[in-house]
């Protein structure tokens, strides 16, 4: 049986790190591999528990540290600290002063700075730190057959450092002609700076997850009830709560668990879930979500979900999974990056050979060109292009109550030209109301009382809706009430008359229009009918209008009757209608529509699950059935269609940002490598420009936080 494993990995702080670990795991034949530099977590799927330790040890050998389950509880605080502190910054602060002094000799005539032995003394600590940080990683990556960026950095800095030492020993009198200690030091320091900037930038793009984690409540007021019914309240941590526990929530408190209100009423701030700023009124019997805040009132809540099973925990898991997943475009970039380092090594050797032997360029200049090629060719930008954009895009979506389940779903947004809607519970609220009552040879009071008496013995949603609408109606005295499968309900009154309530299958007389919802019969003769109405969502018409404005065709696909579907479609302005479809037929219709154009499906019921899974993009509402939510690629957490245009826009803009990032990552390397090979770029400048390339991509990604995505 397949098992999906997730582990925290210390030291995985950049796109290049994540790419190295991903390639290692994929080479081991693992499926579902996702390494997320933003969260510092790696996920993979395996069928063999016995190999997991070997896999984790392999990641350790790459130069990272996997936090095992037994270490997790003890090291939890340490992980949190690690996520906010940097292992690179101390090294950068240590190398920077030495490097600045070495570079200073190029601009001032202070004799001691021009002394070769002083330069050696200044460069050696920097080179030692470089070997410690980059050298170990380079060696491990080579020993595992997965050369990474650190190989290029190490070769470049080592070449400059060793060449300078050889010049110092062999050409003591003219050593200054062979001194490139500042090049070795600046490569190491500037690449450290680039890694630190990338680490900092990636952390800033993952702020959505951090914000969600901070929302998780840690304290609760547990209510204990003794055998006499006396209540005692104690403070406890949420991790000690169990299903069915009662917790007290007072004004200003966070709701500690997902649960049901057993007593009390109040106004809840649910903006973390819905994106809506106005508090929602809640009372006895209503559901509440852990992490929301009670603005006003007092509630006694019974826990229905705790720990990893809460809505908030599931959202965090979904966002992490989505951020770690890769759209097809990034998979292409990864394949190119996999052959990138060996290719650069070949280009660097050719640059040295051709410059020295073919163009008669002095060896030291030819070597500088070769080193510049090694340093400028940073594949980190390619590894960062997608995660940075995905993290920002999904973070903004999560803050607005939109969950997008992965990179492939993000990429699917760009293709959508048509959206299919279910009717009941999607375009409508699912709350049935009585629209019209028509009686024949029977007064309305008697009609309603007989209907109520029969419906009292039904658990059907329509029956419950009618009872809710007619609470003040008196119940007729009927006996022998029972359900007739496929037809409806039947009973007898005191005078022996048979009453039947249900579908048009009971119609035996002519002249009765069968296109009504519920019929009442007395001794087989129709006494009248009830027409029902499913209230339209107040936002539905505006959403359909917005979709039309951005060129999206709309389709209504429902199991309901044609005349009802056409009425809804007419009122909302929907382009096409397909009515009376069973779940399997819905899936077949989606398949048929997909043959013509990329199609998304919006639904909420179990009967929509096959169609949601079949569509190019499945979109569900948060009040949908669990099956529908699991089948969907996107979940609108506020149970409100008004977020649908934003979800589409955010998906398209995130994909556009990924394309921009990948273009600039490739364009940078394609342009920079020839420039360096021709000697127009020194290694020092190359290292500096390389460090800034990642920052440019992250800044471009962060624009998603402020862009108008509805255009």
């Amino acid at each position: 049986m397949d098992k999906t494993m997730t582990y925290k990995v210390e030291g995985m702080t950049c796109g290049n790190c994540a790419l190295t670990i991903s390639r290692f795991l994929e080479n081991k034949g693992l499926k579902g591999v996702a390494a997320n530099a933003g969260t510092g977590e790696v996920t993979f799927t395996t069928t063999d528990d016995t190999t997991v330790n070997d896999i984790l040890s392999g990641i350790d050998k790459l130069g990272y540290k996997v936090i095992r389950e037994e270490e997790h509880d003890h090291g939890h605080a340490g992980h949190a600290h690690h996520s906010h502190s940097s292992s690179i910054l101390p090294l950068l602060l240590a190398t920077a002063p030495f490097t600045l002094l070495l570079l200073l000799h190029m601009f001032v005539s202070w004799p001691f700075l021009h002394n070769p032995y002083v330069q050696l003394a200044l460069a050696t600590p920097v080179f030692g730190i470089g070997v410690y940080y980059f050298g170990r990683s380079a060696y491990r990556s080579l020993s595992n057959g997965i050369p990474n960026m650190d190989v290029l950095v190490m070769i470049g800095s080592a070449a400059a450092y060793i060449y300078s030492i050889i010049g110092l020993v062999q050409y003591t009198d003219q050593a200054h002609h062979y001194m490139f200690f500042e090049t070795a030091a600046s490569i190491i320091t500037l690449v450290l700076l680039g890694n630190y900037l990338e680490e900092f930038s990636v952390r800033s793009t993952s702020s959505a997850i951090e914000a969600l984690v901070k929302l998780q409540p840690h304290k609760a007021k547990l209510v204990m009830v003794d055998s006499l019914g006396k209540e005692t309240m104690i403070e406890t941590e949420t991790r000690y709560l169990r299903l069915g526990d009662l917790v007290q929530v007072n004004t200003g408190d966070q709701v500690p668990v997902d649960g049901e209100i057993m007593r009390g009423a109040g106004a809840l701030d649910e903006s973390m879930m819905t994106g809506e700023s106005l508090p929602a009124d809640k009372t006895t019997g209503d559901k509440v979500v852990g992490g929301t805040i009670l603005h006003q009132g007092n509630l006694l809540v019974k826990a229905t979900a705790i720990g990893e099973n809460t809505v908030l925990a599931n959202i965090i898991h979904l966002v992490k999974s989505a951020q770690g997943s890769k759209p097809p475009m990034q998979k292409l970039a990864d394949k190119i990056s996999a052959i990138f380092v060996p290719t650069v090594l070949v280009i660097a050797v050719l640059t040295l050979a051709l410059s020295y032997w073919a163009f008669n360029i002095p060896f030291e200049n030819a070597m500088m060109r070769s080193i510049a090629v090694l340093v400028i060719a940073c594949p980190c930008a390619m590894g960062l292009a997608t995660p940075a954009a995905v993290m920002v895009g999904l973070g903004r979506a999560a803050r607005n109550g939109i969950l997008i389940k992965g990179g492939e779903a993000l990429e699917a947004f760009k293709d959508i030209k048509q959206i299919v809607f279910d009717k009941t519970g999607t375009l409508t609220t699912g709350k049935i109301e009585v629209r019209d009552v028509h009686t024949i040879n029977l007064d309305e009071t008697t009609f309603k009382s007989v209907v109520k008496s029969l419906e009292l013995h039904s658990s059907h949603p329509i029956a419950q809706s009618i009872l809710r609408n007619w609470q003040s109606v008196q119940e007729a005295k009927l006996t022998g009430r029972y359900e007739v499968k496929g037809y409806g309900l039947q009973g007898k009154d005191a005078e022996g008359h048979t009453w039947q309530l249900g579908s048009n299958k009971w119609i035996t007389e002519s002249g009765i229009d069968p296109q009504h919802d519920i019929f009442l019969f007395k001794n087989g003769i129709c006494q009248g009918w009830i027409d029902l109405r499913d209230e339209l969502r107040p936002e539905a018409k505006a959403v359909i209008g917005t979709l039309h404005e951005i060129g999206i065709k709309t389709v209504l696909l429902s199991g309901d009757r044609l005349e009802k579907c056409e009425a809804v479609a007419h009122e909302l302005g929907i382009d096409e209608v397909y009515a009376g479809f069973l779940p399997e037929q819905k899936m077949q219709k989606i398949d048929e529509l997909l043959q013509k154009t990329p199609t998304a499906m919006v639904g909420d019921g179990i009967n929509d699950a096959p169609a949601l899974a079949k569509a190019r993009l499945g979109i569900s509402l948060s009040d949908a059935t669990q099956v529908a939510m699991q089948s969907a690629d996107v979940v609108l957490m506020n149970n409100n269609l008004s977020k649908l245009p934003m979800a589409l826009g955010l998906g398209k803009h995130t994909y556009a940002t990924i394309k921009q990032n990948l273009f600039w990552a490739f364009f940078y390397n394609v342009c920079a490598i020839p420039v360096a090979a021709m000697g127009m770029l020194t290694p020092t400048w190359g290292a500096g420009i390389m460090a800034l390339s990642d920052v440019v991509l992250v800044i471009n990604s962060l624009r998603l936080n402020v862009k108008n995505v509805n255009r």
Side-chain angles (χ1 to χ4, degrees):
M1 182 177 175
D2 289 351
K3 288 182 65 176
T4 299
M5 321 285 285
T6 299
Y7 290 92
K8 191 84 173 176
V9 180
E10 290 187 352
M12 184 175 64
T13 56
C14 68
N16 182 52
C17 301
L19 180 58
T20 299
I21 294 173
S22 292
R23 283 162 56 191
F24 169 76
L25 295 175
E26 287 164 359
N27 288 347
K28 292 287 186 182
L30 298 175
K31 305 296 182 183
V33 173
N36 189 338
T39 61
E41 290 183 339
V42 63
T43 301
F44 56 86
T45 300
T46 180
T47 56
D48 187 358
D49 290 344
T50 60
T51 63
V52 172
N53 285 332
D54 293 337
I55 293 166
L56 301 184
S57 298
I59 297 174
D60 289 338
K61 290 176 182 177
L62 288 173
Y64 307 98
K65 177 175 173 53
V66 181
I67 305 300
R68 272 67 166 179
E69 290 182 9
E70 61 270 17
E71 300 172 15
H72 189 270
D73 291 336
H74 298 293
H76 182 73
H79 307 338
H81 174 74
H82 173 78
S83 66
H84 293 282
S85 62
S86 171
S87 59
I88 301 174
L89 185 58
L91 302 179
L92 177 61
L93 294 176
T95 60
F98 296 107
T99 304
L100 289 173
L101 286 172
L102 281 167
L103 291 174
L104 192 62
H105 95 278
M106 301 167 64
F107 304 100
V108 300
S109 57
W110 297 345
F112 80 95
L113 286 181
H114 290 267
N115 187 306
Y117 293 99
V118 171
Q119 291 186 24
L120 172 62
L122 292 172
T124 298
V126 179
F127 185 71
I129 290 173
V131 171
Y132 167 77
Y133 187 77
F134 298 110
R136 294 186 307 162
S137 171
Y139 172 76
R140 285 170 176 147
S141 72
L142 288 171
S143 63
N144 283 279
I146 311 173
N148 61 14
M149 173 61 192
D150 295 338
V151 173
L152 304 183
V153 174
M154 209 60 242
I155 291 175
S157 57
Y161 182 78
I162 294 170
Y163 183 80
S164 300
I165 290 178
I166 293 172
L168 177 62
V169 173
Q170 290 191 350
Y171 308 99
T172 306
D173 295 337
Q174 297 183 336
H176 60 280
H177 292 300
Y178 302 92
M179 292 296 101
F180 297 101
F181 287 119
E182 78 283 348
T183 299
S186 62
I187 289 171
I188 290 168
T189 300
L190 288 172
V191 174
L192 280 172
L193 174 63
N195 286 4
Y196 172 70
L197 290 174
E198 183 179 354
E199 179 187 66
F200 179 80
S201 300
V202 168
R203 277 208 310 272
S204 69
T205 63
S206 62
S207 57
I209 287 181
E210 292 182 5
L212 288 171
V213 171
K214 288 178 182 176
L215 288 173
Q216 289 184 304
H218 299 291
K219 298 288 185 181
K221 298 181 178 76
L222 178 63
V223 176
M224 311 290 287
V225 183
D226 62 20
S227 58
L228 299 177
K230 182 182 178 182
E231 295 182 356
T232 306
M233 189 170 66
I234 59 171
E235 291 267 355
T236 185
E237 294 186 26
T238 53
R239 60 177 172 164
Y240 296 126
L241 294 177
R242 297 292 179 263
L243 288 177
D245 280 349
L246 297 174
V247 294
Q248 179 69 33
V249 185
N250 298 326
T251 299
D253 289 348
Q254 263 190 317
V255 178
V257 291
D258 291 2
E260 180 182 350
I261 299 175
M262 307 304 291
R263 185 177 68 216
L268 271 176
D269 177 2
E270 295 184 319
S271 57
M272 56 161 271
M273 298 296 303
T274 66
E276 299 295 332
S277 57
L278 293 177
D281 292 329
K282 298 284 184 178
T283 188
T284 302
D286 288 340
K287 306 292 185 183
V288 293
V289 175
T292 54
I293 298 173
L294 184 62
H295 267 324
Q296 186 177 10
N298 295 281
L299 307 175
L300 182 67
V301 176
K302 180 181 180 181
T304 58
I306 56 174
E308 294 301 310
N309 295 318
T310 62
V311 170
L312 184 56
N314 283 323
I315 290 175
I316 293 170
H317 174 70
L318 282 173
V319 174
K320 284 182 178 181
S321 298
Q323 288 184 350
S325 64
K326 296 177 182 179
M329 279 188 67
Q330 180 62 23
K331 292 175 183 176
L332 172 64
D334 287 352
K335 289 179 181 178
I336 295 173
S337 296
I339 61 171
F340 194 80
V341 173
T343 302
V344 170
L345 288 171
V346 171
I347 294 173
V349 172
L350 288 174
T351 299
L352 176 62
L354 291 175
S355 298
Y356 183 64
W357 280 296
F359 296 100
N360 296 319
I361 294 172
F363 183 79
E364 59 269 21
N365 291 341
M367 186 185 70
M368 284 298 105
R369 291 186 179 190
S370 180
I371 292 173
V373 168
L374 291 171
V375 174
I376 198 68
C378 173
C380 282
M382 285 182 244
L384 185 64
T386 294
V390 168
M391 281 191 283
V392 177
L394 293 178
R396 181 172 176 184
R399 289 195 301 274
N400 285 276
I402 304 166
L403 285 184
I404 303 172
K405 299 181 182 178
E408 292 198 12
L410 272 173
E411 190 156 331
F413 275 110
K414 69 176 173 45
D415 300 321
I416 300 302
K417 298 290 187 293
Q418 178 173 262
I419 297 182
V420 176
F421 293 89
D422 174 49
K423 182 177 76 70
T424 306
T426 301
L427 293 174
T428 65
T429 62
K431 296 178 180 177
I432 306 297
E433 294 183 344
V434 176
R435 179 168 61 89
D436 185 38
V437 174
H438 181 83
T439 64
I440 303 173
N441 301 323
L442 190 70
D443 65 90
E444 188 170 314
T445 302
T446 303
F447 180 95
K448 287 183 175 181
S449 66
V450 172
V451 169
K452 181 173 182 179
S453 179
L454 289 168
E455 293 286 37
L456 280 169
H457 290 262
S458 173
S459 59
H460 194 281
I462 290 178
Q464 299 304 310
S465 298
I466 291 175
L467 293 174
R468 186 172 59 249
N469 279 266
W470 292 352
Q471 290 182 18
S472 61
V473 173
Q474 292 295 317
E475 173 189 352
K477 294 181 179 179
L478 300 181
T479 60
R481 290 168 289 194
Y482 61 94
E483 181 181 354
V484 181
K485 293 292 183 183
Y487 284 78
L489 301 160
Q490 184 168 310
K492 287 190 175 185
D493 61 19
E495 299 173 1
H497 299 296
T498 298
W499 294 90
Q500 296 165 321
L501 179 72
S503 72
N504 56 17
K505 292 180 182 179
W506 261 324
I507 297 177
T508 57
E509 57 195 296
S510 60
I512 303 297
D513 182 2
Q515 302 302 321
H516 295 287
D517 294 309
I518 302 174
F519 295 85
L520 180 66
F521 302 88
K522 180 182 180 181
N523 298 325
I525 305 298
C526 184
Q527 302 297 306
W529 54 77
I530 302 171
D531 286 327
L532 303 172
R533 175 180 62 190
D534 190 356
E535 181 185 356
L536 288 175
R537 288 183 179 273
E539 73 276 10
K541 189 168 186 176
V543 168
I544 299 298
T546 302
L547 293 177
H548 288 160
E549 289 174 8
I550 60 178
I552 302 291
K553 181 181 178 181
T554 55
V555 178
L556 177 59
L557 177 61
S558 175
D560 211 341
R561 297 203 313 264
L562 178 61
E563 60 273 14
K564 284 197 168 188
C565 292
E566 286 182 335
V568 169
H570 177 73
E571 187 170 349
L572 297 180
I574 291 175
D575 300 317
E576 284 184 15
V577 177
Y578 299 96
F581 278 65
L582 298 173
E584 185 177 348
Q585 294 172 320
K586 282 187 175 184
M587 186 176 71
Q588 291 169 351
K589 175 53 71 174
I590 290 292
D591 191 31
E592 181 184 319
L593 294 172
L594 282 170
Q595 303 303 318
K596 300 174 183 177
T597 186
T599 301
M601 167 78 183
V602 185
D604 76 315
I606 292 175
N607 62 332
D608 296 321
L612 288 170
K614 187 70 176 177
R616 180 72 178 91
L617 195 66
I619 302 170
S620 175
L621 303 177
S622 60
D623 270 2
T625 63
Q626 193 66 23
V627 174
M629 289 179 66
Q630 289 172 352
S631 302
D633 303 296
V634 179
V635 179
L636 305 179
M637 290 305 298
N638 59 352
N639 196 42
N640 190 313
L641 281 176
S642 63
K643 296 296 182 183
L644 179 57
M646 183 182 188
L648 282 164
L650 196 52
K652 289 181 178 179
H653 279 273
T654 302
Y655 177 76
T657 302
I658 292 172
K659 284 203 303 184
Q660 293 164 5
N661 286 353
L662 287 172
F663 169 78
W664 285 113
F666 284 117
F667 180 79
Y668 167 82
N669 282 291
V670 168
C671 291
I673 290 175
V675 170
M678 290 186 290
M680 300 170 65
L681 201 62
T682 67
T684 300
W685 276 105
I689 295 170
M690 181 207 70
L692 292 174
S693 65
D694 293 340
V695 180
V696 170
L697 296 190
V698 171
I699 290 173
N700 186 48
S701 300
L702 289 172
R703 288 172 54 238
L704 278 169
N705 275 323
V706 295
K707 285 177 73 174
N708 180 1
V709 297
N710 294 318
R711 291 183 298 179

